[in-house]
Amino acid sequence: MKNASIIKRSALVLAILGQAHIANAEDWTGSVALGLGSKELDSRLWQRADEQDSISLIADIGKASWPVSIAVDLHGTGIDKSDSADPYEGYTAELHLGVRRAWDIGGSGFQFYAGGGLAFGYAETKFGANPELSGDGRGTGYWAGLGLRYRINQQFSVGTDFRYADFNIKHIDDSDTSGSRQFSITATYHW
């Protein structure tokens, strides 16, 4: 399944982030979150496959003195109704690179964040009843996101992440644009 390659890439990102943490523990801060949620795609080509489950790794790394952190986020989404009477499938994989800024909300334990940057994506659809709409493609675009976290203790927080991504994906007729809205519940580890 497509999520296997996403998991392998996520493990590589975590290893890189972990090495940066070990090398300069006093100077660097960061976090990595696991997000579970859903994604809604705008494209007319997605038909019923436009609502998909999602899994995400949302990572930040930077020096404590920086006003923003570097964002490296991986997202995988999918829906598989290949065993239904009218079979269809849809998958996406995305890499979001950019910056993120976080603000503490008083002494409440809540933290708000916002970010944005470049997005790289892959999308695939398969429609049993309409094979002419099936296809896959890669594209680039942008993403923007907001989130809210509640700090349980110094190392762990729980929260939400909402983001919008827009891609120009060469898909079927070479002219499709696929925007998406994604909402996730997150569990975050901070160092």
Side-chain angles (χ1 to χ4, degrees):
M1 189 169 169
K2 308 279 184 243
N3 289 339
S5 66
I6 292 170
I7 292 169
K8 289 177 187 175
R9 292 177 186 162
S10 301
L12 177 61
V13 168
L14 289 175
I16 292 168
L17 292 174
Q19 289 300 319
H21 171 60
I22 292 167
N24 295 305
E26 305 88 35
D27 297 338
W28 293 88
T29 64
S31 66
V32 63
L34 174 65
L36 298 175
S38 64
K39 179 178 192 171
E40 184 179 315
L41 295 126
D42 295 335
S43 172
R44 65 178 170 76
L45 296 174
W46 287 94
Q47 295 188 358
R48 287 163 299 143
D50 64 348
E51 293 183 13
Q52 302 183 6
D53 295 329
S54 69
I55 185 168
S56 303
L57 279 177
I58 303 165
D60 294 296
I61 189 164
K63 290 197 172 193
S65 60
W66 293 357
V68 296
S69 60
I70 298 168
V72 180
D73 306 334
L74 297 169
H75 307 276
T77 68
I79 187 167
D80 186 348
K81 298 290 185 178
S82 55
D83 58 351
S84 67
D86 185 11
Y88 61 94
E89 298 173 59
Y91 304 99
T92 71
E94 298 175 25
L95 170 64
H96 294 178
L97 302 175
V99 296
R100 198 167 2 254
R101 170 79 192 248
W103 298 269
D104 290 325
I105 302 174
S108 65
F110 284 97
Q111 187 179 62
F112 170 77
Y113 64 85
L118 295 174
F120 305 91
Y122 170 81
E124 177 181 358
T125 56
K126 295 179 184 176
F127 294 100
N130 296 316
E132 68 278 0
L133 293 179
S134 298
D136 64 349
R138 290 174 174 74
T140 58
Y142 68 90
W143 68 274
L146 303 170
L148 183 66
R149 297 187 278 231
Y150 178 73
R151 206 95 182 224
I152 296 170
N153 58 35
Q154 199 64 4
Q155 291 184 309
F156 295 99
S157 64
V158 293
T160 60
D161 182 82
F162 176 79
R163 67 185 59 219
Y164 180 81
D166 197 292
F167 295 95
N168 282 322
I169 294 180
K170 301 294 184 190
H171 182 237
I172 301 165
D173 62 1
D174 289 337
S175 63
D176 187 38
T177 297
S178 184
S180 65
R181 291 167 300 284
Q182 184 171 326
F183 176 79
S184 301
I185 302 296
T186 60
T188 306
Y189 172 74
H190 304 270
W191 66 82

